[in-house]
Amino acid sequence: MSCSCSDEEELLRSHNFNLSTTIGLRKHTRKTNRELSAEHKASHKKQCERIGCANAYSDNNESKTIKANKFTLETRCAPDRFCSLVGNLSEDKKNAIRDIGFGSLLEIQCGRLRRQLCRWLVDQFKPKCNIIELYGQNLKLCHRTFSDVMGVKDGGIPIQLGGPSENIAELRDIFQSTVKGINIKTLEDIIKQEDKTSWIFKVAFTLFALATLLCPTSGFISHLFLHPCNDVLNVKSLNWASFCYKWLAKSIGKYKNHETTYVGGCLLFLQVR
């Protein structure tokens, strides 16, 4: 008896990833199942059966299961924080966000990251090759897939995190930049209080989107991001998809090489991919 598509989906769920199967995943598993050899299908079936036994055992060992579930991925990606702020913005402020090319981010609706699922996806991702391996199939990832999933675009101008310090001196004062960088809470407060037409509002939102969703690293964002955000008229012309995808791939590479204890970058991309 071969392992069905639903068996493959259950295989992911049985690892306690709290997987909510998307339409894309269902299509992928159906296609993958058709292409698998009989031996490969039989192997999946046995694995499903083994995991089923393990789950039955763990049901009788609740404390062990809870302890095992604590081994989830550490990340600074916070789509719940991003969506919470965006959901309370006025329509006028949302229109201002669309003007700078980030309107697609307003459509994101999600709760917290499924960290165990993300950990498994990170394990399957090979940043040097830009592929993610699922059921023996290698799926190619790049800035184009990032753009398709997250909605941010490449406008044609490369992003440079650098430039004359005097160019961003005023912004560093406005955003109260310290040696740690710019506090995300400061950005939240400015976004809530600033006028919708203000260029400060647009810069603050861009930084907030980067710090919580697209290129997160910590509770602060480096003042170096002020350089590409300084000219709000050209923000939509920058290569955000390429930059954010490379940031994620590099962050996963550092994590897998044990250079960091957490994963920076937009893990939401992998989760909804």
Side-chain angles (χ1 to χ4, degrees):
M1 180 177 178
S2 64
C3 184
S4 67
C5 176
S6 60
D7 287 331
E8 291 185 347
E9 292 166 3
E10 195 60 37
L11 182 61
L12 287 179
R13 290 196 184 95
S14 61
H15 279 282
N16 294 319
F17 294 135
N18 299 318
L19 175 64
S20 175
T21 306
T22 63
I23 294 175
L25 179 58
R26 289 184 182 276
K27 288 182 179 179
H28 174 72
T29 51
R30 291 191 187 99
K31 180 177 182 294
T32 301
N33 188 66
R34 288 195 298 269
E35 296 173 351
L36 291 176
S37 66
E39 292 80 8
H40 202 156
K41 291 178 180 179
S43 174
H44 273 296
K45 180 64 177 178
K46 291 179 180 179
Q47 190 174 4
C48 290
E49 292 172 348
R50 286 197 302 271
I51 291 174
C53 293
N55 283 345
Y57 176 78
S58 64
D59 287 340
N60 296 321
N61 295 271
E62 183 176 357
S63 62
K64 292 182 180 180
T65 301
I66 293 174
K67 182 177 180 180
N69 285 343
K70 291 181 180 179
F71 292 96
T72 55
L73 193 68
E74 289 298 322
T75 177
R76 305 299 192 265
C77 189
D80 52 336
R81 185 173 186 174
F82 176 84
C83 292
S84 177
L85 179 67
V86 167
N88 292 315
L89 294 180
S90 67
E91 195 59 34
D92 286 337
K93 285 189 174 182
K94 290 181 180 180
N95 286 333
I97 292 168
R98 295 184 182 102
D99 288 342
I100 57 175
F102 287 121
S104 60
L105 298 181
L106 300 175
E107 308 304 320
I108 292 177
Q109 305 211 355
C110 61
R112 294 180 180 274
L113 285 177
R114 298 181 179 90
R115 296 200 178 202
Q116 288 179 295
L117 171 60
C118 287
R119 181 183 180 182
W120 181 77
L121 291 170
V122 166
D123 288 342
Q124 311 311 308
F125 184 53
K126 300 177 181 179
K128 290 184 178 180
C129 306
N130 290 303
I131 60 173
I132 187 167
E133 184 177 352
L134 297 175
Y135 307 113
Q137 303 292 312
N138 291 330
L139 304 180
K140 185 72 174 177
L141 301 181
C142 65
H143 66 281
R144 294 185 184 88
T145 49
F146 190 94
S147 180
D148 290 341
V149 172
M150 298 304 299
V152 296
K153 307 296 182 183
D154 272 358
I157 301 176
I159 294 175
Q160 300 291 334
L161 295 184
S165 57
E166 58 268 22
N167 289 353
I168 59 171
E170 181 182 0
L171 284 174
R172 291 193 67 176
D173 288 338
I174 292 173
F175 294 121
Q176 303 170 36
S177 178
T178 67
V179 291
K180 291 183 178 180
I182 301 169
N183 195 313
I184 296 177
K185 182 62 169 59
T186 301
L187 296 174
E188 285 179 317
D189 292 340
I190 291 176
I191 290 170
K192 293 175 183 177
Q193 299 166 9
E194 193 69 23
D195 183 83
K196 63 183 181 299
T197 60
S198 167
W199 66 283
I200 296 298
F201 168 79
K202 295 177 179 179
V203 173
F205 178 83
T206 302
L207 293 174
F208 181 77
L210 291 168
T212 59
L213 191 64
L214 299 176
C215 299
T217 54
S218 67
F220 294 79
I221 183 170
S222 171
H223 70 273
L224 294 177
F225 279 95
L226 291 172
H227 287 288
C229 298
N230 189 26
D231 184 359
V232 292
L233 295 178
N234 283 325
V235 165
K236 66 171 61 177
S237 300
L238 300 176
N239 289 343
W240 291 111
S242 293
F243 183 86
C244 295
Y245 175 75
K246 289 178 181 178
W247 187 280
L248 173 64
K250 185 176 181 179
S251 297
I252 292 177
K254 287 184 176 181
Y255 174 79
K256 299 185 83 167
N257 289 332
H258 307 290
E259 296 176 39
T260 60
T261 58
Y262 65 90
V263 177
C266 187
L267 281 178
L268 182 64
F269 162 67
L270 290 183
Q271 180 174 296
V272 301
R273 174 67 182 89

